[in-house]
Amino acid sequence: MNIACYIRNSNVFDQVRTALARVGYLPTQFDAETSLLRTLKRKTFDFVIIDLSSAESEDSIFSWLSLRSGDPIPTLILSSASGGDVVARVLDNGADDFLQRPFDAVELVARINAVMRRCAPKNNRRVIEYAGFQLQRDTAKFSYQGMGISLTPREFSMAWLFFSSPGVYISRETLGSVIWSTDSEIAGRTIEQHVYKLRKKLQIDNRNVVVIRTAYSQGYRLDPVDHEEASPASDANRT
């Protein structure tokens, strides 16, 4: 996912870039308001992040937000300011979400994903790209950086659920009802087997790029891995 970032503060941009890089998102920094707005007219981005402290004129940014009625690009505002009045002004002027600085990397990514889900056409998501993986719903093709990975139909359905909501626990009941149309004990045992096989197929060149974590009271969750988790030995079920 390509993300335009109007963030002039280098420290803030480094934090954003690090958070996005962990999940395979590609940030492009803009250090001038005019450069951002001109580029958005001729180049396609999937998402926009604006740090209000970097704006030479907040009014012009808010004017752009208010006038972009036909612009589908979701936008998140960062700011060190706090309080209901600030959040209300940002949202009332057309932003899709607000995040106060300093922020946790996991929250930034989660908010981006949540906004993308809200803004996506209902029942019309045909392709998912995450952490280098791509899922094509129409053809049931699954790949990593263009390299095909063979999945059974049920494995693909399970992968689609996980990659649709990274960082969110999906219960066994949900997996059973969506994939097997049942919540029986047989389906529960089958889910464990399918998760185990999918974990193995998500390993790339004998290393982990993403991991399916298990919390027995909550279900399963897909996360990007840290550097220390990248070996197959670290693929044990984790909370």
Side-chain angles (χ1 to χ4, degrees):
M1 184 159 63
N2 293 314
I3 301 181
C5 301
Y6 176 32
I7 304 173
R8 291 180 61 184
N9 185 303
S10 58
N11 291 330
V12 174
F13 179 69
D14 285 344
Q15 294 170 10
V16 170
R17 178 175 55 191
T18 299
L20 300 182
R22 288 188 66 237
V23 294
Y25 295 165
L26 303 175
T28 299
Q29 185 181 19
F30 293 89
D31 58 7
E33 178 185 322
T34 54
S35 176
L36 168 69
L37 301 183
R38 287 173 180 171
T39 303
L40 289 177
K41 291 180 179 180
R42 55 183 174 82
K43 184 177 180 179
T44 300
F45 285 92
D46 303 298
F47 201 90
V48 175
I49 297 175
I50 296 173
D51 181 31
L52 281 186
S53 67
S54 67
E56 296 174 1
S57 172
E58 291 185 3
D59 289 339
S60 58
I61 287 294
F62 285 132
S63 296
W64 172 73
L65 288 170
S66 299
L67 294 173
R68 65 187 188 111
S69 58
D71 191 337
I73 306 177
T75 300
L76 179 144
I77 300 295
L78 294 176
S79 177
S80 59
S82 62
D85 290 342
V86 175
V87 177
R89 186 185 180 204
V90 165
L91 298 179
D92 286 345
N93 277 276
D96 297 289
D97 204 353
F98 173 90
L99 181 59
Q100 184 183 2
R101 295 193 281 104
F103 57 83
D104 290 329
V106 65
E107 182 178 3
L108 174 64
V109 172
R111 284 182 177 273
I112 291 172
N113 291 336
V115 170
M116 292 297 293
R117 289 195 298 271
R118 292 199 303 268
C119 294
K122 299 299 183 183
N123 300 321
N124 196 38
R125 195 177 188 187
R126 315 311 298 176
V127 177
I128 295 175
E129 295 183 351
Y130 180 80
F133 291 92
Q134 184 184 78
L135 296 85
Q136 299 182 32
R137 191 169 191 171
D138 293 335
T139 59
K141 289 184 178 179
F142 183 61
S143 62
Y144 177 76
Q145 295 184 349
M147 178 184 67
I149 300 172
S150 178
L151 298 182
T152 67
R154 282 178 173 164
E155 287 171 348
F156 182 86
S157 296
M158 180 176 286
W160 185 272
L161 285 177
F162 287 133
F163 281 86
S164 294
S165 303
V168 177
Y169 278 109
I170 300 175
S171 68
R172 292 174 179 80
E173 290 76 15
T174 298
L175 289 170
S177 63
V178 171
I179 300 174
W180 284 270
S181 300
T182 179
D183 57 0
S184 68
E185 292 182 2
I186 294 177
R189 292 194 295 271
T190 303
I191 289 171
E192 294 287 349
Q193 296 172 359
H194 276 70
V195 169
Y196 174 80
K197 292 178 180 179
L198 183 58
R199 281 192 176 111
K200 294 296 183 183
K201 292 184 178 182
L202 290 178
Q203 291 181 1
I204 305 299
D205 294 333
N206 208 35
R207 64 184 176 87
N208 296 314
V209 179
V210 294
V211 62
I212 301 175
R213 304 185 190 278
T214 303
Y216 287 100
S217 62
Q218 297 174 284
Y220 303 93
R221 184 182 78 189
L222 182 78
D223 283 328
V225 301
D226 296 324
H227 293 300
E228 60 269 20
E229 294 181 296
S231 65
S234 299
D235 195 34
N237 297 350
R238 298 187 181 191
T239 55

